[in-house]
């Protein structure tokens, strides 16, 4: 029971963090005409945040199941 509650809290925290990091004011700060590894900074930022979110969701789900 405690493990499930902990997982739910982590998922809520992750959702709030994702909402903050992918919100317009934050996205506007990285929306600059600059390239990172050949990609515009905004696209690179969104991809990295998305990738990190997937990894964290996987780890939370894995811990919940096993």
């Amino acid at each position: 029971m405690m493990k499930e509650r902990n997982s739910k809290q982590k998922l809520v925290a992750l959702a709030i963090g994702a909402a903050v990091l992918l919100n317009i004011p934050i996205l506007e700060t990285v929306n600059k005409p600059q390239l990172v590894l050949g990609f515009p900074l905004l696209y690179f930022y969104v991809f990295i945040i998305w990738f990190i979110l997937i990894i964290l969701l996987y780890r939370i789900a894995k811990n919940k199941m096993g």
Side-chain angles (χ1 to χ4, degrees), residues 13-39:
L14 188 62
I16 291 170
V20 168
L21 290 173
L22 296 173
N23 206 344
I24 293 297
I26 303 295
L27 291 177
E28 285 295 324
T29 62
V30 296
N31 191 12
K32 297 179 180 170
Q34 183 178 350
L35 295 178
V36 177
L37 301 173
F39 297 102

Side-chain angles (χ1 to χ4, degrees), residues 1-60:
M1 187 68 157
M2 186 64 137
K3 197 173 193 178
E4 182 179 325
R5 191 161 132 195
N6 228 1
S7 293
K8 286 182 181 180
Q9 290 175 348
K10 288 179 184 178
L11 288 173
V12 168
L14 188 62
I16 291 170
V20 168
L21 290 173
L22 296 173
N23 206 344
I24 293 297
I26 303 295
L27 291 177
E28 285 295 324
T29 62
V30 296
N31 191 12
K32 297 179 180 170
Q34 183 178 350
L35 295 178
V36 177
L37 301 173
F39 297 102
L41 181 61
L42 178 64
Y43 295 166
F44 187 77
Y45 172 80
V46 170
F47 178 76
I48 292 299
I49 296 300
W50 172 73
F51 185 71
I52 291 170
L53 287 172
I54 289 174
I55 291 172
L56 291 174
L57 281 169
Y58 172 76
R59 291 186 68 194
I60 292 170

